[in-house]
Amino acid sequence: MKDERPVPTTLNHPFHGLMAFQLRQASVLVAADLGERLADLSLTMTNLTVLLMIQSNPGVTQTELGKVLGIQRANLAPLTATFAARGLIKRNRIDGRSYGLSLTSGGADLAARAWEHVRANEMLLPHRLSAVERAAIVDLLQSLRPEPPGHLQGSPL
């Protein structure tokens, strides 16, 4: 026997009013968009973060990056080795065991192209919000995070 109940046009969503759920949904949407944008640059979200951190902090060491970003040394070393092999970063010896990382001209070019994608992605959700509302949301979200071991300072895009 065929079910002839009308198909509802809207459904009650049990998580609709939950902040964490809404944050997750927005995050999934934005991350998927940025992931697609970065694919043509052969960058992942983690690669992007490391590349732009090196750009913003010339001479930073892998140890400093790992502490601030919460990336284990065993995971960060192959990533920076890949960047070096691609000619994106150079390593300058600081002491017997440490190297300061900085972008090559190729790395700077890639970072500039990546920033274009980041800026376009950044506008994915906020087109419905005023500049004041966007700033308030950023401030509120930052207040939810514990401060990482190495303090991060930010600047607007």
Side-chain angles (χ1 to χ4, degrees):
M1 176 174 206
K2 186 176 178 183
D3 186 0
E4 296 191 20
R5 291 181 300 164
V7 176
T9 57
T10 60
L11 296 175
N12 292 323
H13 199 305
F15 299 131
H16 179 75
L18 299 179
M19 179 181 60
F21 177 78
Q22 296 302 331
L23 286 171
R24 176 73 175 135
Q25 292 297 102
S27 175
V28 167
L29 175 69
V30 173
D33 176 77
L34 186 56
E36 288 177 22
R37 292 174 189 273
L38 295 175
D40 71 319
L41 301 178
S42 298
L43 290 174
T44 65
M45 295 287 281
T46 301
N47 296 151
L48 170 73
T49 303
V50 171
L51 182 75
L52 297 183
M53 286 292 291
I54 294 170
Q55 179 189 42
S56 297
N57 301 281
V60 67
T61 66
Q62 282 185 193
T63 301
E64 292 167 330
L65 276 177
K67 284 181 183 175
V68 169
L69 297 176
I71 300 174
Q72 297 291 324
R73 181 182 180 114
N75 297 329
L76 191 55
L79 192 151
T80 57
T82 299
F83 277 173
R86 287 177 62 187
L88 301 175
I89 64 170
K90 56 186 170 188
R91 298 174 178 154
N92 301 308
R93 186 179 295 276
I94 294 175
D95 59 35
R97 295 184 56 180
S98 298
Y99 290 87
L101 307 175
S102 58
L103 298 184
T104 62
S105 61
D109 290 344
L110 181 61
R113 293 192 335 237
W115 272 116
E116 292 173 15
H117 291 314
V118 169
R119 287 184 190 99
N121 175 260
E122 187 68 11
M123 296 312 297
L124 184 65
L125 292 180
H127 68 281
R128 297 180 183 167
L129 304 172
S130 71
V132 171
E133 290 169 327
R134 287 192 302 271
I137 288 173
V138 168
D139 287 344
L140 288 169
L141 291 174
Q142 287 175 344
S143 72
L144 295 175
R145 295 177 47 204
E147 224 173 85
H151 184 66
L152 291 174
Q153 293 179 322
S155 61
L157 298 175

